[in-house]
C-alpha cells in the first residue's frame, strides 16, 4: 500500500538513517500487536453486544423462555406457532403497509425537494430548515403530531374543517392509523433524505447538462436520461435506509397508539416488544425478531442487486 | 454554468418552485412554533382558541409542572395529572446517557478506525467487514439478548447498564473515522515514524489533533442520535431514577389525567426535550448540514 512511498522517503530524504530496521521492518512483520491494542475496546463492544447477542438471539428463538429459570429447547415450535398466529400476520401486513407508504411518499417528496434545492436555492439555511425535523427524537415528532392532529382541538382538523371537509380521527380510525404513522415518519425524514439526494445531484458533473442542452434535450428528457440514471447509487442507498428504518418502526407507535385501535398499528417491532416484555415470552419474541432480521437481509440484498447501488455510472 | 445564468431571470416555473420549497420549509419548521405556542397556553383555554396563533391565555404553568414546581393540587387545577414527574432528573439522565456513550464511542471507535485505516495486520479487512456487517442486524434483534445480558449483570435501571452496548463503539463511528483517516495525508505520520515515534505516540500527538474537525462532527451526530434514542433506554432504564427524556415523555403522555391530555404540559415537556438539540443545531448547524452528503454517499 504505502510501503513504496515510505521506502522512497527513507532512502532519499534521510540519509543518516539505515534503510532497514525501525519502522520499515515493523511494516513488513505487521502491526498486529499494536493493532490489537487499538481495536480492543471496539472488539469488546462487537463481541459482547453484537456477535454473542446475534447467536444468543437465534438460540433463544428455538427455546421456551420466560426470563425466570433456564431456556427450554423446543426446536421449531415457536416458528410453527408464528405461522399460525393471526397477530403475527397482521403485524407483518401493517408493517409492510407502513413501509410502502414511506417509500413512495418519502422518496417522491425528497427527490422533488432535492431538485428544487438544486435549481433554485442551494443555501445552507434552506437545507438547515428542512433538516430540523430529522434532528428531533421520534418520540418528539410523534407527540407533536399527536397534538396537531388531535380530533377535537388539533390545528390540522381545524384547517380541514375550514376547507369544508369532515374531521379525521387520524389516530383513532383503523384505516387512518397506519398512514398517519407513516406521515409522521415522512415529515421527520423527508429533509434528511432530500439532503442525501441533493448531495448526489451535486456530484453530477455540470458539463453533462451543458452537453445535453446543446444536443437539444428538454428538461424532462435530461432528467430521465441523465439525472435519474446517475442518481441511482444514491437512490439505492436512500431506499435501503428507508426500508430498513421503516421495518423497525416502534417509537412513534409506542407513544401514540400503542398498537391500536384494535390491531391497526401493532407493527412487528411493537408485537415483539409486547410478546417478550409484557408476556415474558422471550423465545417467541426472538423468533419473530429472527424473521424480521431475515426479511431485512433479503430486502437489502435484492435492492443492492437490482439497483446495483454499489456501482456508479460516473466512473 | 447554466444554473447561474438562469438564476437571474424570474420565470413562472421558478416562482412555482420557490412556492413549493417555501411550503416544505413551513411544514418542517412551523410545528415547532405550534409546540411553543401550546406550551405557553393554559389547558382550559386551548379548546376555545384552538386556531389562535398566539398562546391561549398566556401562562408559564406548563413549564412549572414539567419541572415539578407546582403542587399536585395546582397541577390538577391547570389540567395536569398531579403525578410526580421530574424533568430535571430526566434531563440529567439524558445528558449522562448521551454524553457518556458519545465520549466512549467516538474515542474507542476512532482508535479502531485508525487500526483499520493505517496499521497493517493479518485479517484486518475481514475484521473490518465484521464490524460493518453489524449494520445489517436490526436493533430489536440484539436488544432482547442485550437486555438479558444487562439483567444478568445486575445492571438494569443503572446508567452503566444503559451505556454498555454503545460506549465501546458504534459501527457508524468506526466507518466514519476510517474514511477520514484513509484520506488523511501520510507524510506527517511517516516523518514522525522515521524519527522513531511509535504508532501510539503518533496517534495521540499527531493524528488525533489533526482529526479535531471530523471528531467534532462525529461527536455531534452521535450525541444527537443517543439523545433521541428511545427503545433501549425504555427496556433497561424504565424506572423513575434512570429515565431519560424520551422515556419520561412517553410516561408523561400516558398519564392522561382527567379524561383529556395535559396538552400544554406535554408540549412544554416536548420543547424541553428538544431544546438541547435545537441549541446544538443553532451553534453547529452548518457542520451538521454539510456532514449529510458525506455519511450518505461517500
Amino acid at each position: 500500500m504505502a510501503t513504496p512511498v515510505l521506502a522512497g522517503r527513507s532512502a532519499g530524504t534521510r540519509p543518516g538513517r539505515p534503510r532497514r530496521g525501525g519502522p520499515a521492518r515493523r511494516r513488513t512483520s505487521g502491526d498486529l500487536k499494536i493493532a490489537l491494542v487499538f481495536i480492543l475496546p471496539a472488539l469488546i463492544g462487537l463481541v459482547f453486544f453484537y456477535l454473542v447477542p446475534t447467536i444468543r438471539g437465534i438460540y433463544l428463538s428455538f427455546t421456551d423462555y420466560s426470563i425466570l429459570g433456564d431456556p427450554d429447547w423446543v426446536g421449531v415450535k415457536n416458528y410453527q406457532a408464528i405461522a399460525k398466529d393471526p397477530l403475527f400476520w397482521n403485524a407483518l401486513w401493517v408493517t409492510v403497509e407502513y413501509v410502502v407508504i414511506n417509500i413512495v411518499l418519502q422518496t417522491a417528496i425528497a427527490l422533488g425537494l432535492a431538485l428544487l434545492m438544486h435549481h433554485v436555492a442551494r443555501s445552507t439555511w434552506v437545507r438547515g430548515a428542512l433538516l430540523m425535523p430529522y434532528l428531533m427524537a421520534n418520540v418528539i415528532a410523534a407527540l407533536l403530531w399527536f397534538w396537531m392532529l388531535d380530533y377535537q382541538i388539533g390545528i390540522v382538523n381545524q384547517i380541514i374543517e375550514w376547507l369544508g371537509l369532515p374531521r379525521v380521527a387520524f389516530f383513532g380510525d383503523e384505516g387512518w392509523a397506519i398512514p398517519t404513522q407513516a406521515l409522521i415518519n415522512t415529515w421527520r425524514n423527508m429533509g434528511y433524505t432530500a439532503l442525501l439526494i441533493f448531495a448526489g445531484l451535486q456530484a453530477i458533473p455540470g458539463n453533462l447538462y451543458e452537453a445535453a442542452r446543446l444536443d437539444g434535450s428538454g428538461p424532462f428528457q435530461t432528467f430521465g436520461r441523465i439525472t435519474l440514471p446517475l442518481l441511482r447509487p444514491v437512490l439505492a442507498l436512500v431506499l435501503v435506509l428507508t426500508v430498513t428504518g421503516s421495518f423497525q418502526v416502534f417509537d412513534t407507535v409506542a407513544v401514540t397508539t400503542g398498537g391500536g385501535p384494535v390491531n391497526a398499528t401493532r407493527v412487528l417491532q411493537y408485537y415483539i416488544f409486547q410478546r417478550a416484555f409484557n408476556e415474558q415470552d422471550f423465545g417467541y419474541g426472538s423468533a419473530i425478531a429472527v424473521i424480521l432480521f431475515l426479511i431485512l437481509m433479503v430486502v437489502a440484498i435484492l435492492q443492492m442487486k437490482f439497483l446495483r447501488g454499489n456501482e456508479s455510472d460516473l466512473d | 454554468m447554466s444554473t447561474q445564468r438562469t438564476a437571474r431571470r424570474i420565470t413562472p416555473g421558478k416562482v412555482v418552485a420557490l412556492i413549493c420549497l417555501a411550503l416544505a420549509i413551513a411544514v418542517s419548521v412551523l410545528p415547532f412554533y405550534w409546540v411553543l405556542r401550546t406550551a405557553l397556553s393554559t389547558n382550559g383555554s386551548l379548546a376555545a382558541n384552538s386556531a389562535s396563533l398566539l398562546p391561549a391565555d398566556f401562562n408559564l404553568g406548563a413549564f412549572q409542572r414539567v419541572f415539578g414546581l407546582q403542587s399536585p393540587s395546582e397541577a390538577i387545577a391547570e389540567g395536569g395529572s398531579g403525578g410526580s414527574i421530574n424533568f430535571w432528573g430526566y434531563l440529567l439522565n439524558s445528558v449522562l446517557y448521551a454524553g457518556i456513550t458519545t465520549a466512549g464511542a467516538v474515542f474507542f471507535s476512532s482508535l479502531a478506525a485508525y487500526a483499520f485505516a493505517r496499521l497493517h495486520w493479518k485479517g484486518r479487512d475481514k475484521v473490518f467487514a465484521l464490524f460493518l456487517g453489524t449494520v445489517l442486524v436490526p436493533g430489536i434483534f440484539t436488544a432482547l439478548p442485550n437486555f438479558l445480558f444487562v439483567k444478568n449483570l445486575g445492571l438494569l435501571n443503572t446508567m452503566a447498564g444503559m451505556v454498555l452496548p454503545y460506549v465501546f463503539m458504534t459501527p457508524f463511528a468506526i466507518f466514519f473515522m476510517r474514511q477520514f483517516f484513509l484520506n488523511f495525508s501520510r507524510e506527517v505520520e511517516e516523518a514522525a515514524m522515521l524519527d522513531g515515534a511509535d504508532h501510539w505516540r503518533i496517534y495521540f500527538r499527531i493524528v488525533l489533533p489533526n482529526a479535531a474537525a471530523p471528531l467534532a462532527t462525529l461527536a455531534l451526530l452521535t450525541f444527537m442520535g443517543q439523545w433521541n434514542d428511545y427503545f433501549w433506554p425504555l427496556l433497561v432504564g424504565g424506572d423513575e431514577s434512570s429515565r431519560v427524556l424520551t422515556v419520561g415523555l412517553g410516561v408523561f403522555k400516558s398519564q392522561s389525567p382527567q379524561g383529556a391530555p395535559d396538552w400544554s404540559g406535554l408540549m412544554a415537556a416536548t420543547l424541553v426535550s428538544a431544546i438541547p438539540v435545537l441549541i446544538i443545531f443553532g451553534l453547529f448547524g452548518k457542520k451538521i448540514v454539510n456532514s449529510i452528503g458525506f455519511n450518505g454517499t461517500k
Side-chain angles (χ1 to χ4, degrees), chain B residues 62-252:
Chain B
F63 286 97
Q64 293 170 342
R65 207 145 60 240
V66 166
F67 287 112
L69 298 173
Q70 279 186 339
S71 68
S73 56
E74 274 176 325
I76 288 166
E78 284 189 17
S81 70
S84 99
I85 209 90
N86 183 3
F87 267 72
W88 282 123
Y90 306 161
L91 192 66
L92 180 68
N93 284 336
S94 272
V95 169
L96 286 175
Y97 176 65
I100 295 170
T101 48
T102 301
V106 169
F107 179 67
F108 293 137
S109 298
S110 64
L111 273 181
Y114 184 76
F116 288 124
R118 277 295 200 266
L119 304 180
H120 300 264
W121 42 288
K122 222 180 150 203
R124 180 184 70 175
D125 297 337
K126 281 186 188 127
V127 177
F128 180 66
L130 210 54
F131 272 93
L132 213 54
T134 59
V135 179
L136 287 176
V137 185
I140 175 81
F141 184 70
T142 44
L144 299 184
N146 280 343
F147 168 83
L148 295 173
F149 183 46
V150 168
K151 185 176 177 288
N152 292 344
L153 292 173
L155 292 176
L156 280 188
N157 292 307
T158 66
M159 191 50 68
M162 287 164 72
V163 301
L164 266 183
Y166 299 102
V167 78
F168 293 107
M169 64 109 180
T170 68
F172 172 72
I174 293 180
F175 177 69
F176 184 97
M177 288 314 294
R178 176 177 173 269
Q179 211 61 21
F180 170 77
F181 291 141
L182 283 177
N183 295 325
F184 185 67
S185 158
R186 283 171 187 272
E187 297 195 354
V188 190
E189 278 167 79
E190 273 156 11
M193 200 175 284
L194 291 173
D195 286 338
D198 56 15
H199 281 295
W200 196 251
R201 213 181 311 162
I202 290 172
Y203 180 74
F204 283 101
R205 295 269 175 84
I206 297 167
V207 176
L208 215 50
N210 279 301
L215 284 173
T217 304
L218 177 63
L220 285 173
L221 296 177
T222 311
F223 187 88
M224 290 194 297
Q226 292 299 114
W227 184 271
N228 293 341
D229 196 12
Y230 176 68
F231 188 60
W232 176 250
L234 176 73
L235 295 189
V236 295
D239 274 8
E240 165 85 29
S241 60
S242 53
R243 263 177 218 158
V244 294
L245 280 169
T246 48
V247 178
L249 270 177
V251 174
F252 193 144

Side-chain angles (χ1 to χ4, degrees), chain B residues 249-263:
Chain B
L249 270 177
V251 174
F252 193 144
K253 190 252 154 190
S254 63
Q255 290 177 341
S256 234
Q258 307 163 35
D262 173 9
W263 287 120

Side-chain angles (χ1 to χ4, degrees), chain A residues 17 31 135 147 158 187 237 255, chain B residues 27 38 50 120 194 228 296:
Chain A
R17 269 178 192 277
D31 304 317
L135 303 175
W147 160 230
Q158 196 68 248
W187 175 78
L237 173 91
V255 295
Chain B
V27 169
T38 309
S50 57
H120 300 264
L194 291 173
N228 293 341

Side-chain angles (χ1 to χ4, degrees), chain A residues 168-178 261 264:
Chain A
V168 179
F170 286 100
F171 293 96
D173 185 293
E174 275 187 64
W176 268 102
I178 275 290

